[in-house]
Amino acid sequence: MKKTLLVATLVISAFVASAQTGYVIKGQIGKLGKPAKAFLLIRLEGKEKLDSVELVNGAFTFKGSVPSPMEATLRLKHDKSIDTPGRRIKIDGMAIILGNENITITGKDSIKTATIKGSTLTDESKKVDALLAPIYGKLKALEKEFADQPEAKKQDKTYIMDLEKRARVIEKEIFDAKINYVKQNPNKYMALMALNSTLGPGFDAIEMEKIFANISPELKSSFFGKQVAERIAHYKKTQEGVDAQDFTQPDVDGKMVKLSDYKGKYVLVDFWASWCAPCRRENPNLVKIYEQYKSKGFEILGVSMDKAADKAKWLKAIADDKLTWRQVGDLKGWENDAAAKYEVKAIPMNFLIDPSGKIIAKELRGEALEAKIKEIFDGRTK
């Protein structure tokens, strides 16, 4: 079992407002001098700004200002080596959230292991780190437990199900701890980071919108705050229980097809592509379910994420996989207009829409999809 811990972006920052108009970063890394060079990379409103300065007897200084806390990276190059594409290099650096503060960084011979003082962002991040570390420790212990098992045990479905059940309990504990922190610290930038880290697949956009509403106006108006608000708003458009957004796309013969044409039926809007191996592996399951339930009012509308240059491959995949339902696509690849409306970032992705036009489920595949369709048409689950 491998669990992805969403800790990286969470534990590096927090926010306390400052009246200071700019930042000053003063570093002292041993006695390093020329050709050693420090770099400050700031990600400001979707764009990158790079500043650099040579070290003099180990010292360097960066000055500037940011309209609100921003993602930044401090990096030190110890010699004249040039980054070569395709070659892994050892990076001496640290990720920070930069605010308008006076910050000092001191280290013996490395930025990566240096200490930071004067940053309220860092101070608050340490508090949150301490809050979450014991809970993340439980997940790590679970990972170790699995790793220490003999191969036969690792294949035991009953054991795996129990392990996943225990992992979900811990993940819920992590989620609750983050949300509690957000509610108790609405004026801290770390609250935004914590909230953002909970917006994973299937998050409740309506509930998160309510929590976000209590964040301080200053934070909500920051660049990152606007990003979080936009993410919640976009996801809310495709949340279960909302009206499905209509779209129109040409089918394989160029005839325009509307999603609203399917009103009155259950329709699965399936985003896929000829080059997508997981999509192709799922297609036989879709074929089986469609053949079983199409006479009862179940439909599928396939939406291609292929590009115009790959239209022949798309058509061949339809034929090879024996997909007999309607297929549409504007052949713009990842720029597909319908995919943009539905916030499709990965495929396969699907949305199940009821006869009234509301989204009732999404991301259903394999047995989960079959069980849902059985529930609808047969009145029972598998």
Side-chain angles (χ1 to χ4, degrees):
M1 178 187 70
K2 184 178 181 181
K3 290 288 178 184
T4 301
L5 304 183
L6 301 177
V7 119
T9 57
L10 182 61
V11 298
I12 61 173
S13 64
F15 175 69
V16 173
S18 170
Q20 187 169 317
T21 58
Y23 62 81
V24 178
I25 302 174
K26 290 188 175 182
Q28 184 71 48
I29 308 298
K31 299 297 182 181
L32 292 177
K34 209 171 180 179
K37 202 170 188 179
F39 296 84
L40 176 64
L41 176 65
I42 302 175
R43 295 175 180 87
L44 178 62
E45 298 185 352
K47 298 180 181 179
E48 293 187 345
K49 176 186 175 183
L50 181 65
D51 197 1
S52 64
V53 63
E54 291 183 345
L55 271 69
V56 178
N57 201 27
F60 65 88
T61 301
F62 289 108
K63 294 182 179 180
S65 65
V66 288
S68 62
M70 295 288 167
E71 289 184 79
T73 302
L74 274 169
R75 182 177 170 188
L76 179 63
K77 292 192 83 171
H78 294 249
D79 52 38
K80 292 182 178 180
S81 62
I82 300 174
D83 296 355
T84 302
R87 180 171 67 88
R88 295 187 66 179
I89 61 172
K90 187 176 181 180
I91 297 177
D92 179 16
M94 65 166 64
I96 63 172
I97 299 297
L98 181 63
N100 292 319
E101 302 179 296
N102 292 324
I103 302 170
T104 59
I105 298 175
T106 56
K108 183 177 180 181
D109 55 15
S110 167
I111 283 184
K112 195 171 186 178
T113 58
T115 58
I116 306 175
K117 292 184 179 180
S119 172
T120 53
L121 302 172
T122 302
D123 292 341
E124 186 65 21
S125 75
K126 290 178 180 178
K127 294 179 184 177
V128 179
D129 192 8
L131 172 70
L132 295 175
I135 315 177
Y136 277 109
K138 295 179 183 180
L139 271 185
K140 290 181 179 179
L142 215 57
E143 291 176 352
K144 186 178 186 304
E145 175 189 325
F146 178 77
D148 291 343
Q149 299 301 319
E151 285 304 315
K153 186 73 171 180
K154 291 179 179 179
Q155 303 302 320
D156 185 333
K157 290 185 178 180
T158 301
Y159 171 67
I160 296 300
M161 289 177 64
D162 176 68
L163 208 63
E164 290 178 345
K165 182 178 179 180
R166 285 187 281 155
R168 285 194 294 271
V169 171
I170 299 171
E171 288 166 351
K172 177 65 165 55
E173 188 178 352
I174 292 171
F175 176 87
D176 290 343
K178 292 177 181 178
I179 294 302
N180 285 336
Y181 177 85
V182 173
K183 291 179 177 179
Q184 294 169 12
N185 299 274
N187 297 319
K188 291 190 170 76
Y189 190 76
M190 190 60 185
L192 270 182
M193 298 295 290
L195 181 61
N196 185 62
S197 72
T198 67
L199 307 183
F203 77 88
D204 187 338
I206 294 174
E207 183 61 27
M208 292 301 103
E209 186 176 55
K210 293 176 183 177
I211 294 172
F212 180 76
N214 293 318
I215 296 289
S216 72
E218 293 79 13
L219 287 175
K220 285 194 285 190
S221 63
S222 70
F223 175 66
F224 187 52
K226 291 176 182 177
Q227 282 187 315
V228 174
E230 184 178 1
R231 187 175 178 188
I232 293 172
H234 282 182
Y235 197 86
K236 185 180 175 183
K237 293 178 183 178
T238 61
Q239 184 160 314
E240 295 173 21
V242 304
D243 291 330
Q245 300 176 80
D246 199 12
F247 61 84
T248 304
Q249 300 226 332
D251 66 10
V252 295
D253 298 316
K255 183 178 179 180
M256 302 306 290
V257 178
K258 292 182 180 180
L259 173 60
S260 54
D261 294 340
Y262 291 84
K263 203 157 189 179
K265 294 185 177 182
Y266 285 93
V267 57
L268 183 75
V269 180
D270 179 46
F271 291 90
W272 73 292
S274 63
W275 46 262
C276 170
C279 303
R280 303 294 295 275
R281 287 196 297 269
E282 177 64 13
N283 279 343
N285 185 54
L286 293 181
V287 169
K288 182 183 75 171
I289 295 173
Y290 183 65
E291 288 302 314
Q292 188 173 356
Y293 292 98
K294 65 179 181 180
S295 63
K296 298 183 179 182
F298 176 59
E299 290 289 347
I300 301 177
L301 178 61
V303 182
S304 172
M305 300 293 286
D306 288 280
K307 294 181 179 180
D310 295 324
K311 183 176 181 178
K313 294 179 181 178
W314 172 43
L315 298 178
K316 185 176 186 301
I318 293 172
D320 290 348
D321 294 358
K322 298 180 174 58
L323 310 183
T324 57
W325 52 87
R326 204 74 172 273
Q327 298 288 338
V328 300
D330 56 17
L331 299 179
K332 297 179 182 178
W334 284 107
E335 302 301 317
N336 182 287
D337 292 339
K341 280 187 174 184
Y342 281 77
E343 290 290 300
V344 175
K345 305 298 183 184
I347 52 176
M349 180 66 185
N350 58 42
F351 299 85
L352 183 60
I353 300 168
D354 73 6
S356 71
K358 290 188 181 297
I359 297 173
I360 59 173
K362 61 184 181 181
E363 296 186 77
L364 294 173
R365 289 189 286 278
E367 292 182 357
L369 174 60
E370 185 176 1
K372 185 65 177 178
I373 300 304
K374 280 180 177 290
E375 178 186 356
I376 291 171
F377 292 100
D378 295 344
R380 60 183 175 85
T381 57
K382 187 175 179 181

